[in-house]
Amino acid sequence: MAQTAFRSGYVSIIGRPNVGKSTLLNLIVGAKIAIITDKPQTTRNRILGIKTIPEAQVIFLDTPGIHKPPKLMNKIMVKTAMQATSGMDIIIFLTQVQRKVHPQDIFILKCLGRVKCPVFLTINKCDLLPKHPQIDIENITQRYQSLLDFRETFHISALKNRNVDALLESVIGLLPEGPMYYPQETVTDLSEEFILAEIVREKLTMLTQQELPYSTGVVVESIEEQEKGDQTLVRIHATIYVERSSQKIIVIGKNGNMLKRAGTLARKDMETMLGLHVFLKLFVKVRERWTENKTILKRMGL
Ligand code: GDP
Ligand code: MG
């Protein structure tokens, strides 16, 4: 009986902010790795999600959006995004259902014109099409196709899990023969600290209706396990960095309510993730221009 060889490789998901990169990655990997919010630009790191099936292992990079870099943090983000294209076996260019080709998409596709590996055109949020009959999906698809020589095209919904299997199948079909790089059960190589910090940031982003994501950063200071009778308690201390005291007021909220709610939601997610009881302590610190402070960025894993 002929056995097909094991395939493995690196796949980068590239797209402007908010098109659903993290949603897609989390769906494929089947775990919450990349944070999801309805505010753009919340993914600051390259996030490695790993999907292993009996025949193949796919290693995904979720990249920050490529855009014009005004600050050091943004420069690092764009650099990370462009670095994520080198050494890739496949690039999934992700965009979403919309009336016109977005200018930022044109910028990204120009950058992608230089890469050697196959690029897939993937249009996400197709579940929204019935609500927007004025969008001619075939026409918009052709417009994208006129901008780059895509290997394949997919219309998907990451939210509703539509056509994502077909995308994954094509990805695997194009991967080279290769070893299993990571143990079968690994879904990410991100540190626990980083994922825990991302959970806090996700809750804050979700709860505050302000423009906080650009200037709110979370550092997990310590994780300590403590035996309490026959239970294990995990004490997690995290610092939330903001740039201005006005932002600190927003993060803390009236009578500390915002911080309390964010803390409770984050703690619940952490308990699910760790399978242990969590005691979460959050501090808020004002650090002007922390987004340009290399020490803080480094501690955030950037
Ligand atoms: P990213 O910035 O590209 O990583 O985008 P996210 O994954 O954070 O998603 C941004 C927003 O789009 C979130 O509110 C998601 O719930 C939403 N979203 C993602 N995929 C879909 C989809 O297939 N359909 C719809 N309707 N919304 C989606
Ligand atoms: Mg994201």
Side-chain angles (χ1 to χ4, degrees):
M1 200 171 68
Q3 266 225 316
T4 46
F6 194 80
R7 293 164 186 268
S8 61
Y10 290 84
V11 176
S12 182
I13 304 174
I14 292 181
R16 64 191 165 81
N18 223 23
V19 294
K21 298 180 295 296
S22 302
T23 308
L24 179 62
L25 182 78
N26 288 340
L27 172 72
I28 291 175
V29 173
K32 182 163 181 161
I33 301 168
I35 78 162
I36 300 163
T37 67
D38 55 2
K39 300 237 174 88
Q41 231 176 290
T42 45
T43 310
R44 283 186 191 147
N45 232 10
R46 52 188 275 184
I47 291 181
L48 211 48
I50 304 160
K51 173 79 174 177
T52 307
I53 58 167
E55 314 82 64
Q57 182 167 71
V58 198
I59 300 156
F60 286 96
L61 294 178
D62 177 43
T63 60
I66 302 174
H67 58 101
K68 285 206 192 109
K71 285 185 186 175
L72 177 65
M73 181 175 74
N74 289 340
K75 270 190 196 144
I76 293 173
M77 286 167 67
V78 175
K79 211 170 133 214
T80 316
M82 283 319 292
Q83 273 168 357
T85 64
S86 72
M88 288 299 117
D89 294 295
I90 298 161
I91 290 171
I92 297 175
F93 167 71
L94 197 69
T95 187
Q96 65 179 25
V97 160
Q98 63 216 352
R99 295 245 300 280
K100 284 197 269 185
V101 173
H102 196 282
Q104 268 182 297
D105 283 347
I106 297 175
F107 174 72
I108 296 170
L109 290 175
K110 265 193 198 141
C111 298
L112 291 183
R114 285 180 280 155
V115 306
K116 303 233 155 46
C117 70
V119 182
F120 286 3
L121 170 62
T122 308
I123 302 180
N124 189 30
K125 309 197 186 179
C126 285
D127 56 291
L128 297 177
L129 279 171
K131 265 196 258 166
H132 302 275
Q134 76 280 15
I135 298 178
D136 181 348
I137 186 72
E138 285 314 317
N139 184 279
I140 193 84
T141 304
Q142 279 168 19
R143 280 172 189 267
Y144 275 103
Q145 285 167 339
S146 72
L147 292 168
L148 195 82
D149 187 15
F150 294 104
R151 177 70 68 97
E152 293 198 45
T153 297
F154 295 91
H155 294 148
I156 67 161
S157 167
L159 197 68
K160 300 273 152 85
N161 193 2
R162 276 191 221 145
N163 222 20
V164 176
D165 287 346
L167 169 66
L168 193 60
E169 207 172 291
S170 292
V171 164
I172 289 167
L174 279 183
L175 289 182
E177 275 181 29
M180 202 185 278
Y181 292 105
Y182 293 89
Q184 209 168 325
E185 62 285 348
T186 313
V187 291
T188 183
D189 79 340
L190 291 175
S191 70
E192 205 163 71
E193 282 87 350
F194 181 80
I195 297 175
L196 293 171
E198 287 288 279
I199 291 175
V200 174
R201 209 156 59 83
E202 179 191 51
K203 301 311 173 196
L204 288 171
T205 310
M206 206 177 73
L207 291 175
T208 57
Q209 292 304 311
Q210 322 285 331
E211 284 299 302
L212 278 172
Y214 300 95
S215 49
T216 309
V218 180
V219 173
V220 169
E221 311 282 356
S222 65
I223 305 172
E224 281 163 30
E225 281 188 29
Q226 196 184 348
E227 302 301 330
K228 264 205 165 176
D230 53 358
Q231 277 192 348
T232 306
L233 180 76
V234 187
R235 289 179 179 275
I236 299 170
H237 285 200
T239 306
I240 300 161
Y241 285 98
V242 293
E243 288 198 312
R244 285 185 292 278
S245 45
S246 61
Q247 295 165 337
K248 181 173 174 172
I249 291 166
I250 294 166
V251 168
I252 291 176
K254 211 176 172 194
N255 302 323
N257 269 336
M258 179 62 74
L259 198 61
K260 240 181 256 165
R261 281 169 67 206
T264 304
L265 290 173
R267 178 178 54 75
K268 283 182 183 154
D269 273 17
M270 291 172 176
E271 289 184 335
T272 308
M273 177 182 138
L274 301 170
L276 295 167
H277 286 290
V278 169
F279 174 83
L280 175 64
K281 195 155 190 179
L282 299 173
F283 298 97
V284 187
K285 278 190 191 162
V286 181
R287 281 282 181 287
E288 251 179 68
R289 295 208 293 268
W290 72 260
T291 56
E292 293 171 44
N293 182 320
K294 282 191 175 151
T295 312
I296 295 178
L297 292 176
K298 207 168 167 197
R299 290 175 67 204
M300 280 174 191
L302 281 161

